[in-house]
Amino acid sequence: MLRSLSVLLLLSSAALADTADGEALKAMTWDQIEAEARGGTVNWFMWGGSDMINAYVSGYVADRLKAEYDITLNRVPITDAAEIVNLILSEKEAGITDAGSVDLIWINGENFRSMKQGGLAFCGHTDLLPNNALVDWDNPAIANDFGVPVDGCEVPWNTVQFAFAHDSAVVPAPPADMAALLDWIRANPGRFTYPAPPDFTGSAFLRHVFIHAAGGPDDLLGPFDPATFETVSARTWEILNEIEPFLWRGGQTYPTSITQLNELFANGEVDFSFNYDPAQFGLAVQAGSWPETTRSFGLASGTIGNTNYTLIPFNAPNKAAAMVVQNLLLSGEAQLEKAKTEVWGAAPAIEIARTSAEVQAGFAAIKGHPSVVPAAELAKAALPELQADWLIALEKGWAEKVGN
């Protein structure tokens, strides 16, 4: 992966750079920014594990950018955004302030916190995007990313909520809540596992167990509290170590990624997979990887929901073109296209009521995939994301107390 990245980084150094720096861009009108962006190239580093998402970005998005703005979109597939954060940090330490390798990144909250604290994000530009008017910034789940205020440093792309998938022909009645799931694991040795943190999805499963051990999220909201963490994490490690012998391969090894867990489910080696984006379940069925009897569900005890974003690094060489990409991604038309079940099925990050009548009609006409639990059903029991300090402590503790 790093070898392929090095080739792409060489390509990015030859990309057409904007002549205006970030502060100059923020003083421009949108028409001037679009003019500045024309002919540019945007290197967008993003998770590349879904053929359908890749097709949407390299097809619909890239085609529109080229036709309407003469912008070339170079999708750079990655497996771990943390590696790209470290790349940008190393560039900053090397004094590369306006000719970096990355123009845009699809990012999660933990990595956003690192980029914001490290001064690695291009901030203060989101109000310039015309389609920013479609975003409800009064919604705390939008305005805060894993508890960290966005502050104009990133742009929402999708909203998601964690869900589980199962084959209804194999497990017709899945567990209703976390306590029942833990009982099911003990009663069905070898048929469940989860990716080892810090895998993003495996870490999310860990947080669900942590919230269960706390008796709910109330004591975990707000800034990190060491005393609370010590008490609740001790219960968490006890639960996870107790079920470990009942996991796939007796808990002697864990999948290293959500991709590997999905393969285990596809091969019938385990009975459950899970994802922050339930639309992935429908895409897997459409691709023929998963059985048509796949169904998905939340938990009565709740599942975590959040928003994911795109971010322009502080040293992106093509900031104007990257801003045009962000604005296009926010548009009602682009959000509608990826919401179609045959394209992606992603939940929008904008307020549908603020879009055109044509776009609203398009959303109303979408029929959900039978394998994908409706977002409205999941939302009835939504859990808030914890602030990033809790995540870091949990992942470190898991490695020491469980993963060892």
Side-chain angles (χ1 to χ4, degrees):
M1 184 262 191
L2 292 177
R3 181 177 296 178
S4 63
L5 271 179
S6 64
V7 175
L8 288 162
L9 299 185
L10 289 173
L11 290 173
S12 72
S13 66
L16 182 63
D18 294 330
T19 56
D21 63 19
E23 293 307 311
L25 282 172
K26 287 186 277 189
M28 292 182 178
T29 66
W30 184 249
D31 286 343
Q32 291 172 325
I33 291 171
E34 283 189 345
E36 183 76 20
R38 287 197 172 273
T41 295
V42 174
N43 291 308
W44 184 4
F45 285 62
M46 58 178 288
W47 177 68
S50 167
D51 291 340
M52 302 291 280
I53 296 175
N54 295 343
Y56 167 73
V57 171
S58 296
Y60 174 86
V61 175
D63 291 348
R64 282 195 58 185
L65 287 169
K66 193 64 178 178
E68 298 174 26
Y69 306 100
D70 192 28
I71 291 174
T72 299
L73 183 64
N74 178 35
R75 179 181 60 80
V76 183
I78 61 175
T79 57
D80 186 356
E83 293 182 1
I84 310 307
V85 174
N86 290 334
L87 167 66
I88 298 167
L89 177 61
S90 67
E91 290 179 342
K92 182 179 182 179
E93 292 172 344
I96 302 174
T97 60
D98 58 1
S101 307
V102 184
D103 294 300
L104 193 65
I105 182 172
W106 182 15
I107 197 165
N108 61 46
E110 189 173 356
N111 289 312
F112 170 61
R113 174 181 179 272
S114 299
M115 293 199 69
K116 188 181 180 188
Q117 289 185 343
L120 305 180
F122 174 48
C123 299
H125 71 285
T126 55
D127 285 344
L128 296 170
L129 310 181
N131 288 325
N132 188 60
L134 302 177
V135 179
D136 180 11
W137 287 108
D138 291 330
N139 182 350
I142 298 287
N144 300 279
D145 189 358
F146 279 58
V148 179
V150 171
D151 290 338
C153 297
E154 55 182 358
V155 174
W157 193 26
N158 309 306
T159 55
V160 293
Q161 187 172 345
F162 195 93
F164 294 82
H166 67 112
D167 184 348
S168 59
V170 178
V171 182
D177 56 25
M178 180 55 72
L181 176 60
L182 295 172
D183 287 341
W184 189 96
I185 292 169
R186 298 182 190 97
N188 297 271
R191 303 302 300 171
F192 185 91
T193 190
Y194 59 95
D199 172 81
F200 184 61
T201 313
S203 181
F205 176 76
L206 170 58
R207 293 196 295 284
H208 283 88
V209 178
F210 183 67
I211 292 171
H212 169 72
D218 292 350
D219 292 338
L220 310 176
L221 301 180
F224 180 76
D225 179 66
T228 300
F229 178 80
E230 183 176 353
T231 300
V232 179
S233 65
R235 299 187 201 129
T236 304
W237 314 142
E238 183 179 359
I239 291 169
L240 293 175
N241 282 315
E242 194 273 328
I243 66 169
E244 190 173 62
F246 301 96
L247 298 179
W248 172 73
R249 292 189 175 176
Q252 295 299 308
T253 185
Y254 290 81
T256 58
S257 67
I258 187 59
T259 301
Q260 187 180 357
L261 176 61
N262 288 338
E263 291 172 353
L264 294 176
F265 178 74
N267 295 335
E269 294 186 58
V270 296
D271 290 329
F272 295 94
S273 187
F274 39 79
N275 205 294
Y276 250 125
D277 182 6
Q280 296 298 312
F281 307 147
L283 297 180
V285 173
Q286 289 171 200
S289 302
W290 287 10
E292 293 187 1
T293 47
T294 297
R295 295 294 181 266
S296 53
F297 63 101
L299 298 174
S301 51
T303 58
I304 297 170
N306 74 18
T307 304
N308 56 73
Y309 303 77
T310 63
L311 178 148
I312 302 173
F314 83 102
N315 64 348
N318 301 293
K319 291 184 178 70
M323 290 169 67
V324 171
V325 175
Q326 288 184 316
N327 191 60
L328 174 63
L329 295 175
L330 269 186
S331 69
E333 293 76 15
Q335 292 274 315
L336 171 60
E337 180 68 16
K338 68 182 175 62
K340 296 175 181 176
T341 55
E342 68 274 16
V343 175
W344 179 351
I350 59 173
E351 293 295 298
I352 297 173
R354 300 183 186 182
T355 63
S356 68
E358 183 179 359
V359 169
Q360 292 183 49
F363 273 106
I366 292 176
K367 294 182 179 179
H369 194 284
S371 295
V372 179
V373 56
E377 182 177 331
L378 281 177
K380 294 176 183 177
L383 296 173
E385 258 304 359
L386 307 183
Q387 291 193 16
D389 285 337
W390 295 93
L391 277 65
I392 295 170
L394 273 171
E395 291 173 357
K396 182 174 183 292
W398 185 91
E400 295 173 351
K401 304 294 186 179
V402 182
N404 63 352

